[in-house]
Amino acid sequence: MKDAIPTKTPGTWGTEVPQGTGAVGWPKFLALVRSLGLDRDFLIERESGHDRAGDIVNARILVEKALAR
């Protein structure tokens, strides 16, 4: 799982950001996963930033809270 801000220049990459702060609609996505009863593993990926480990921990908390509702 990754989050990003889309690029404004076609053909170039967007900007990776901590999960929950970019353009991905995580609450809706995770609500759909939960509503379908899907039992899946998620891989949280963070390739940039100053506190990657902290960003991953925060992403896990976001996912756990969304799936617990």
Side-chain angles (χ1 to χ4, degrees), residues 15-40:
T15 304
E16 183 187 345
V17 294
Q19 189 173 345
T21 64
V24 177
W26 292 110
K28 286 183 181 181
F29 171 76
L30 294 168
L32 176 63
V33 169
R34 189 170 75 62
S35 74
L36 295 173
L38 299 176
D39 183 20
R40 298 288 184 254

Side-chain angles (χ1 to χ4, degrees), residues 2-60:
K2 259 186 163 168
D3 211 342
I5 298 170
T7 183
K8 294 182 189 226
T9 308
T12 64
W13 289 95
T15 304
E16 183 187 345
V17 294
Q19 189 173 345
T21 64
V24 177
W26 292 110
K28 286 183 181 181
F29 171 76
L30 294 168
L32 176 63
V33 169
R34 189 170 75 62
S35 74
L36 295 173
L38 299 176
D39 183 20
R40 298 288 184 254
D41 293 328
F42 294 97
L43 174 72
I44 299 166
E45 187 176 12
R46 186 74 170 113
E47 295 182 41
S48 65
H50 299 294
D51 184 16
R52 288 184 258 178
D55 291 345
I56 291 169
V57 168
N58 290 332
R60 179 179 174 171

